[in-house]
Structure formats: C-alpha cells, structure tokens
Amino acid sequence: MKNVKITDIEGIKIGHAQDLKGATGCTVILCEEGAVAGVDVRGGAPGTRETDLLNPLNMMEKIHAVLLTGGSAFGLDAASGVMKYLEERGKGFDVGVTKVPIVCGAALFDLVIGDYKVRPDKDMGYKACMNASSDECKEGSVGAGTGATVGKILGPEFAMKGGIGTYTFKVGELMVGAIVAVNCLGDVIDPENGKMIAGVLSEDKTKLRNTEDIMLSQYDNKKNLFNGNTTIGAVVTNANLTKSEINKVASMAHNGYGRAIYPVHTMHDGDTIFSLATGKVEVDINVVGFLAARVMERAIVRAVKNAESMCGYKAYRDLVK
C-alpha cells in the first residue's frame, strides 16, 4: 500500500471555504458525474441533510456532492450554494425542466468558538465549490475544521483545537480515502502507538487528562455540560460497489472513529460518515471496508496534528513544542 491524495481518485474534487473571524467554515466533496453513496449515523445528536435517500430501499442511485459544515443546523444552508453551483453546470438528477443536484450533508457544532452569528451559508457553500480542485487538500483549521474543538467534557476552557484531515491508500488500482472534521467530545488517540494526542487539558494547560476517567468520576451527573460536539466525515473510493455495499463501507469506517476517539458515538455527538464509490475498479467489499477504517483513523490523527490554535484554544503543535 502507498499513500496518495484523496483527490487522486478520478472524478473527485474537494474545496474549503471559511470565515476566520467567525471561526467556522465548510468543506465540499464534489463528484459531479455522480457516485453511488451511503451513510451511517452513529451519534445521538446528528444534524444531517438528504440521508434518507441513501437507504438502499430508496430510488436515488447516485449523488453529486457531500457537504461537511460547521454552524450546527444553521450551517446546512451552505448546501443551497452547492446546489446552485452544480445546477449552473448542468449536473444533477434530470427531472426534465432542469437537473436537480443531489447534495447530502452533515453539520458539526462550533457556535461557541468565534462569532456564533457567523455561520456557513449559501454564499460560503458556493465559494467552497469554486475553490474545489483535484490539488492537495488543505488540512487543519480550514473548511469544516475551522471551528472544530475536542476534549470538551469540562467545558471550552479546557478543550483543544480540532480540525480537518485526510488520508488515502492505494493498492494496485484500488484507492480508498477518508476526509474528516474532528470535533469530538472525547480524546483523540493515535492508534499506531496508543498515545493520546488531544483532549481535555490539565489545570495548567500543559498536559492532557482522560475524558473517560472524568466521566466515570461523574457517572451520576445527568446534566448536559458538553452539548457541542460531532465528528463528520466521508470515505471515498474508486471501487465498483452497489448501494447496499457502499452503505456497509460507511458502517465499517466507523471502526476508525472507535480506534481514534475515546469515547465515541455519545448522545452528545452527531457522529456521521458518508461513503462514495465512483465505480471504476472491481473489488472485494471486505477489503474496501477494512481500508476505510484504516484511512479514517489516520485522517483523524492528521486533523488534530495539522490544527492551529485559534480563539484561545491550544492545538496539538502547542503541546509538543
């Protein structure tokens, strides 16, 4: 296996747009010619768009974009800009009088960082599409990762900066990549060595504490002290898969969340993974599935390691100086 760019997958473009003053942004994954898609929502507080149509029982076979956005439910408005961009280029599901772009999306909660009145909107979604390319995808505090934070069990004072990351494997002609915006309640672990790399800061903000230990010490506390989380991402492959199979890939990719985020899929996270297949390479779905988990865990690590401090939130690179 070798590491390549996620945008090396033919037909895939990725673009970011952000407002640094507002500390929020969005990321769009364009597949203008259409891709078979699936989704798996595991968190207890999701904010999503057009996920029901990805059920294999429903009609739509292909989608044209995935939006990952900040701004909580407000940020899903950015999908309107993605639809405008695609319709202008004649991309979408043909309904006779026009073509309707199928744009799925998920939002993370970042309203407590920066200016909560600034949210991704139609204009920002359109701008992300204009910025989309097959070049190297920027990582860290950009796009949907702009306002992402991690380790929030004790509130924003002891949280750290999250971000967006990607990672892609190529084996022969098969490519499987992941892109993820890490905004979790829990701690982020590097699965390669088991070390915690981001999470709840100590009192002097020079070391890390353990979120699960803190939760155990407060097991009888039912107050919602950490309601702003969610990790959202997508797996992209050039494999030829059915709608049922690509939904299974999204499910298997959540193993990557489980290996790199402790705890994950809480009632205060809206953890969601989309999956896209462009249909170029014949392959065993099981291979795509376990590779999806591997690239996802590595993308999570890269999201944290490439994040930059913002609005008073320390980043990984501040702790390892």
Side-chain angles (χ1 to χ4, degrees), residues 258-271:
R259 294 171 191 162
I261 301 171
Y262 289 30
V264 72
H265 304 147
T266 74
M267 291 300 291
H268 307 283
D269 289 289
D271 298 334

Side-chain angles (χ1 to χ4, degrees), residues 48-67:
T48 56
R49 181 185 192 276
E50 296 279 41
T51 53
D52 283 353
L53 58 79
L54 301 182
N55 187 318
L57 296 176
N58 295 332
M59 180 187 75
M60 198 61 59
E61 283 297 320
K62 293 185 176 182
I63 71 169
H64 305 95
V66 169
L67 170 74

Side-chain angles (χ1 to χ4, degrees), residues 147-226:
T149 52
V150 304
K152 289 166 277 191
I153 188 71
L154 296 180
E157 181 182 356
F158 298 103
M160 287 182 63
K161 191 69 184 66
I164 198 162
T166 72
Y167 201 91
T168 304
F169 277 135
K170 182 177 182 181
V171 186
E173 294 303 312
L174 173 66
M175 287 185 278
V176 181
I179 181 168
V180 61
V182 183
N183 186 62
C184 53
L185 162 68
D187 306 319
V188 177
I189 311 297
D190 186 341
E192 292 192 350
N193 55 30
K195 292 184 178 180
M196 188 186 302
I197 59 174
V200 189
L201 290 169
S202 61
E203 290 287 344
D204 63 3
K205 300 185 180 181
T206 62
K207 298 179 182 178
L208 296 172
R209 288 182 279 184
N210 186 297
T211 292
E212 291 185 343
D213 286 347
I214 295 170
M215 292 177 72
L216 285 171
S217 71
Q218 302 175 358
Y219 72 89
D220 57 346
N221 183 356
K222 293 185 178 181
K223 293 181 180 179
N224 181 10
L225 301 177
F226 37 85

Side-chain angles (χ1 to χ4, degrees), residues 31-293:
C31 41
E32 296 183 29
E33 301 308 317
V36 179
V39 68
D40 192 330
V41 181
R42 298 276 182 98
T48 56
R49 181 185 192 276
E50 296 279 41
T51 53
D52 283 353
L53 58 79
L54 301 182
N55 187 318
L57 296 176
N58 295 332
M59 180 187 75
M60 198 61 59
E61 283 297 320
K62 293 185 176 182
I63 71 169
H64 305 95
V66 169
L67 170 74
L68 306 177
T69 184
S72 190
F74 297 110
L76 293 172
D77 181 45
S80 298
V82 182
M83 290 190 70
K84 177 184 177 182
Y85 175 90
L86 290 167
E87 185 186 24
E88 288 176 349
R89 287 153 181 79
K91 306 297 182 181
F93 181 73
D94 194 343
V95 294
V97 293
T98 188
K99 290 185 178 179
V100 180
I102 308 302
V103 180
C104 299
L108 57 80
F109 186 97
D110 59 3
L111 299 180
V112 296
I113 178 173
D115 184 352
Y116 76 93
K117 294 181 181 179
V118 177
R119 300 99 180 230
D121 56 12
K122 182 177 180 179
D123 289 341
M124 188 181 287
Y126 190 89
K127 184 177 180 180
C129 292
M130 293 295 292
N131 291 338
S133 75
S134 56
D135 296 335
E136 191 80 35
C137 180
K138 293 182 179 179
E139 298 174 285
S141 302
V142 296
T146 302
T149 52
V150 304
K152 289 166 277 191
I153 188 71
L154 296 180
E157 181 182 356
F158 298 103
M160 287 182 63
K161 191 69 184 66
I164 198 162
T166 72
Y167 201 91
T168 304
F169 277 135
K170 182 177 182 181
V171 186
E173 294 303 312
L174 173 66
M175 287 185 278
V176 181
I179 181 168
V180 61
V182 183
N183 186 62
C184 53
L185 162 68
D187 306 319
V188 177
I189 311 297
D190 186 341
E192 292 192 350
N193 55 30
K195 292 184 178 180
M196 188 186 302
I197 59 174
V200 189
L201 290 169
S202 61
E203 290 287 344
D204 63 3
K205 300 185 180 181
T206 62
K207 298 179 182 178
L208 296 172
R209 288 182 279 184
N210 186 297
T211 292
E212 291 185 343
D213 286 347
I214 295 170
M215 292 177 72
L216 285 171
S217 71
Q218 302 175 358
Y219 72 89
D220 57 346
N221 183 356
K222 293 185 178 181
K223 293 181 180 179
N224 181 10
L225 301 177
F226 37 85
N227 58 1
N229 309 290
T230 296
T231 297
I232 52 177
V235 170
V236 184
T237 179
N238 62 353
N240 184 19
L241 299 173
T242 66
K243 197 172 177 182
S244 293
E245 288 172 331
I246 197 62
N247 271 278
K248 182 62 176 177
V249 169
S251 177
M252 295 175 76
H254 272 281
N255 291 332
Y257 277 18
R259 294 171 191 162
I261 301 171
Y262 289 30
V264 72
H265 304 147
T266 74
M267 291 300 291
H268 307 283
D269 289 289
D271 298 334
T272 299
I273 297 178
F274 293 96
S275 51
L276 303 170
T278 61
K280 303 296 184 181
V281 180
E282 297 299 326
V283 67
D284 176 4
I285 179 182
N286 298 292
V287 174
V288 179
F290 79 70
L291 286 177

